[in-house]
Structures are given as C-alpha cells and as structure tokens.
Amino acid sequence: MKKNQNLNKISLTYTLSQSLSSLFRNSVMSIASILVLASCLVVLGTFGLLVTNINYNLEDLSRLNEVVAFVSADCSDDEIGQIRDKILTLRTDGLVSDVEYVSKEQALESERSKFEDYPALFESLKDDDNPYRASFVVTYSDESMLSSIEYNLYNISIERDGNQIAPIDKVRSHAEIAVVMQNMKEGITQIFVGFMLILFVVSLFIIINTIRLAVFSRRKEISIMRYVGATNAFITAPFIMEGLFMGLVAAIGAFFTEWLVYSRVADFIKDQYKMFTVVPFSKCVPVMILAFLGIGLFAGIAGSLISLSKYLKEN
C-alpha cells in the first residue's frame, strides 16, 4: 500500500517536472500557444459581454411600453385637447393605458436636463427657436398590440375649417430601437462565432505543434521508457499536464485582461453615453470564470491528445 502511494507520488513529481521542463525548453511555442488561446478567450468574453449588455438594454426598452406620437406644429390648444380625447377613446379597446401630453417647452427642458453636462449644445437656441415638437406619450400594456396602436394613432382625425385633417404625422416606439439592437446582436453573434472558430482552430494548431516538438525532443527518452515497460499513461501524462498548464495560464490571463478592459470601457460609456446601462462586471464573473477555465483546459487537453494520438497508435 505504502509502496503504491510512493510510486504515485514519484509519478506526480515526475509529471510536473517534465511538463514544466518541456514548457521552458519550447518557450517560444509555449508562449505563442498561451497568447493565441488567451486572445481567443478575450474575443469570446468581449462578444459575450457585448451581447449581455445588448440584451439587458433591450429588456429595459421592453419594460418602458411607450409610444410617442408627434403632433403637427400648427395645432392649437383646442385641437391638442381633441387629440388627447381621441387617444383616450382607445382605452375602451384595451389598447392604451395612459396618455401624457409633452409640450415643446417641456421636451426642450427634458433634453437640457439629459445633457446638463454639455450646456453649450443649447446656447445657440433663442426663446422662439425650439427644434422640438409637442407630442403625446402613450402607455400600453400589451406589446402584441403595438402595431394596432400605431395604426389607430396615425388614423386619428380632427376637424379644421370644415375639413378633416390627420394631426399626428409621426409615431415612434421603442420597438424600433429594439429591432435595430436585435439586428445588431444577431450580426455580432455571427461575427463572434466566425472569429471564435478561427481563433480556436489556430490555438489548437499551435498547441498541437508545441506538444509535438516536446515529443520529438524527448523521443529517445520515450523509447527507453518503452523498453523498460512504462505505460502509455505514464509517458503521456507530462504532455497532457503541459497542455493543461497552457490552457490554465491562458484562461487566467484572459480573465484579468477582460476585467481590466471592460472596466475602462464601462467607465467611458457611463460618462459619455448615459442613455445606455452597462451591466456590472461582477455579475458576469462566475459565468466568465467557468467558461474561460472550461475552454482553456479543454483546448489544452484536446491539443495534447491530438498531438499524441499518432504516437500512441504507432506504439
């Protein structure tokens, strides 16, 4: 029993010493393998975080459930009242929950408050020079009825000088922005898959060649071990350990690189683009650690086994 435990201990020591020795002996290829695999993981993490943030902001938009109906600039206060009454009639069909009128002055003041850090944007505007339009903010509860709401808003008519006119000439919903972001997410996902496949294949190729160089440099020593009865597991263990080590180092390096870059970019977006919400990195840490470790270790083991498969078949 003690003899077997000592043998296992010697085997582990031998495996670690040989794998580390091989890494230093082929340092250039080892570093190249780690860097390429780490790059692959950083790209994976970047696209994953990007898609996560897009989904998060899409959920925020879907929770707003608002449609903005812009009225013609020449509408009088009386006509504004008529429009509001006609929009409220849509409540009977369950299309509309609430209606809020936003005047031109309120719209301008709202924009000023959003960009209070950039007062120069509004300095050129005079009292009678307001580029914003009056509108009705229509709240709804059933997202599936959005197209019906927009149709009814466009078809509202009021009487002016004996004629029927359509006072609402533009309807904007957050669904439009959601569609753009959804298309962006799909495009990013496709690019992400392509980059991932290419980088993963390249990283595997470099790891395979690194292990092959290590096998070639130790071919005489391996032949001697064969003659004295060493098993395949004993011979291949150092090379698999070498692949595991490269995958582990790549995963750790990629994680801290992603953390640093994401924190910088998130701070920049918070300062410059306040309309977007950035998901805190801390919420993504568990998934990212598991993904990086899983892919890194898998790549290391797979690269080692592929490079050793031909050797094991021949022996």
Side-chain angles (χ1 to χ4, degrees):
M1 183 73 175
K2 289 183 179 180
K3 189 173 181 179
N4 289 336
Q5 289 177 348
N6 290 333
L7 183 60
N8 290 333
K9 186 176 181 180
I10 293 172
S11 299
L12 179 59
T13 304
Y14 171 81
T15 299
L16 288 172
S17 63
Q18 289 300 312
S19 60
L20 291 174
S21 174
S22 179
L23 283 168
F24 285 110
R25 189 184 304 119
N26 302 294
S27 58
V28 175
M29 290 295 291
S30 298
I31 292 172
S33 301
I34 292 170
L35 289 177
V36 173
L37 183 54
S39 299
C40 177
L41 293 173
V42 168
V43 171
L44 166 67
T46 300
F47 280 101
L49 289 169
L50 189 55
V51 171
T52 299
N53 277 277
I54 290 175
N55 284 334
Y56 188 82
N57 282 275
L58 281 174
E59 288 176 3
D60 279 351
L61 289 173
S62 65
R63 284 194 291 267
L64 292 177
N65 291 339
E66 293 177 351
V67 173
V68 181
F70 294 93
V71 299
S72 301
D74 56 352
C75 286
S76 64
D77 291 341
D78 180 61
E79 290 173 338
I80 293 293
Q82 293 181 49
I83 298 168
R84 177 185 175 85
D85 291 339
K86 295 207 171 187
I87 294 176
L88 287 172
T89 60
L90 299 177
R91 280 180 169 178
T92 57
D93 299 326
L95 297 177
V96 172
S97 301
D98 194 17
V99 179
E100 179 187 358
Y101 175 69
V102 180
S103 67
K104 294 173 58 176
E105 292 74 24
Q106 289 173 323
L108 177 59
E109 195 57 38
S110 176
E111 289 301 301
R112 276 183 173 153
S113 64
K114 285 181 185 177
F115 299 97
E116 59 184 358
D117 295 332
Y118 306 93
L121 293 174
F122 302 93
E123 285 179 357
S124 60
L125 296 179
K126 299 178 181 179
D127 293 337
D128 57 347
D129 187 18
N130 187 344
Y132 295 95
R133 299 171 57 184
S135 62
F136 285 96
V137 179
V138 180
T139 306
Y140 60 91
S141 56
D142 189 352
E143 191 173 350
S144 64
M145 303 299 290
L146 181 58
S147 58
S148 297
I149 296 170
E150 293 181 354
Y151 175 80
N152 280 278
L153 289 173
Y154 275 121
N155 282 277
I156 287 176
S157 63
I158 59 174
E159 186 176 348
R160 179 188 294 174
D161 300 329
N163 298 315
Q164 292 292 321
I165 64 166
I168 295 176
D169 54 14
K170 183 179 180 181
V171 176
R172 188 183 67 191
S173 68
H174 294 291
E176 296 174 357
I177 304 174
V179 168
V180 172
M181 294 184 73
Q182 184 68 33
N183 292 336
M184 186 188 301
K185 185 185 78 170
E186 292 175 359
I188 288 171
T189 303
Q190 292 174 0
I191 296 172
F192 152 72
V193 172
F195 268 114
M196 272 301 300
L197 288 175
I198 293 171
L199 287 174
F200 192 73
V201 170
V202 170
S203 61
L204 274 180
F205 177 78
I206 295 179
I207 290 174
I208 289 169
N209 281 280
T210 303
I211 303 297
R212 280 179 177 169
L213 281 176
V215 173
F216 183 78
S217 65
R218 295 179 57 206
R219 62 191 184 282
K220 292 183 179 179
E221 179 186 344
I222 292 173
S223 297
I224 293 172
M225 286 191 289
R226 283 287 186 193
Y227 281 121
V228 298
T231 62
N232 282 342
F234 183 83
I235 294 172
T236 59
F239 302 109
I240 294 175
M241 183 69 72
E242 183 178 346
L244 279 172
F245 184 79
M246 287 189 286
L248 181 62
V249 172
I252 294 172
F255 175 79
F256 284 105
T257 301
E258 194 72 56
W259 191 351
L260 177 63
V261 173
Y262 185 80
S263 299
R264 298 281 179 86
V265 173
D267 291 339
F268 175 78
I269 292 175
K270 288 175 184 176
D271 292 337
Q272 301 296 326
Y273 304 97
K274 296 182 180 180
M275 70 283 293
F276 293 109
T277 304
V278 181
V279 178
F281 188 80
S282 57
K283 289 187 176 181
C284 306
V285 167
V287 175
M288 188 160 290
I289 288 177
L290 290 175
F292 279 13
L293 285 176
I295 294 174
L297 296 178
F298 172 78
I301 294 173
S304 301
L305 292 176
I306 291 171
S307 63
L308 290 166
S309 59
K310 183 179 178 181
Y311 173 82
L312 292 176
K313 288 178 182 178
E314 291 177 352
N315 294 277

